[in-house]
Amino acid sequence: SGVDVVRAALAEGLEVAELRRRLEEERAEAARAAEEAAEHAAGLSARAAASERANEEAEAALRRASAAQQDAAESLRRTEADLRRTEAELRRTEAEVRERDASLGAAEATVREAAARASSLEGSLEAARRDAAARAAAAQSQVAAAVAAAAASDEARR
């Protein structure tokens, strides 16, 4: 029904909002991870001059940060794709609701037209009844007059 479609559209709207919220959280988390990795790498680089080990740790941290950034970017792409699919579904649902509203409006107009025709026919029927009653009354008057004339004629013959 139209109400179910509207409820489904509202639920999809809420789902879009949730996907957007998650997308923003993932973006912030990716930025934090990149910032933390950059800070860590900078700290390790400062010590790299004193130790080859520190240099290896910095490179490993950079690789982890890069991998984390790539994971976050992939997750972000997936979330954005989900958001686009959900928004497309919402647009389709909204179009269906508009079509159903238009169909309902057309049906209501048809019902109003039928009611107007029925009302008009009722008026015509009432007028025809009044006309028939008037004709019947006139015919009864003529019959009564003819009966009275016949009775008078019979009386006159006697």
Side-chain angles (χ1 to χ4, degrees), residues 81-99:
D82 287 345
L83 179 60
R84 285 190 297 276
R85 280 192 297 276
T86 303
E87 286 174 337
E89 287 177 26
L90 180 59
R91 284 191 296 277
R92 281 192 298 273
T93 302
E94 288 171 342
E96 288 174 9
V97 168
R98 283 192 298 274
E99 287 176 23

Side-chain angles (χ1 to χ4, degrees), residues 131-147:
D131 185 50
R135 288 183 184 182
Q140 283 181 338
S141 294
Q142 289 174 354
V143 167
V147 168

Side-chain angles (χ1 to χ4, degrees), residues 34 57 64 78 92 94 110 117 120 125 130:
E57 288 179 17
R64 285 191 306 271
R78 283 192 306 270
R92 281 192 298 273
E94 288 171 342
T110 301
R117 282 196 301 271
S120 174
L125 179 60
R130 285 192 303 271

Side-chain angles (χ1 to χ4, degrees), residues 16-88:
V16 167
E18 176 60 21
L19 286 172
R20 284 188 176 142
R21 184 192 63 74
R22 283 186 15 221
L23 177 65
E24 289 304 317
E25 286 177 359
E26 288 180 14
R27 281 183 179 156
E29 186 176 323
R32 280 193 303 274
E35 185 177 325
E36 288 172 10
E39 289 171 2
H40 186 61
L44 292 176
S45 293
R47 290 181 295 192
S51 164
E52 179 66 27
R53 175 95 168 105
N55 193 29
E56 290 173 3
E57 288 179 17
E59 288 175 2
L62 283 173
R63 283 191 299 275
R64 285 191 306 271
S66 177
Q69 200 168 21
Q70 287 175 355
D71 288 348
E74 181 58 32
S75 177
L76 183 61
R77 281 191 290 277
R78 283 192 306 270
T79 302
E80 287 173 339
D82 287 345
L83 179 60
R84 285 190 297 276
R85 280 192 297 276
T86 303
E87 286 174 337

Side-chain angles (χ1 to χ4, degrees), residues 104-121:
L104 181 60
E108 288 173 345
T110 301
V111 168
R112 284 192 298 273
E113 288 172 13
R117 282 196 301 271
S119 177
S120 174
L121 289 174

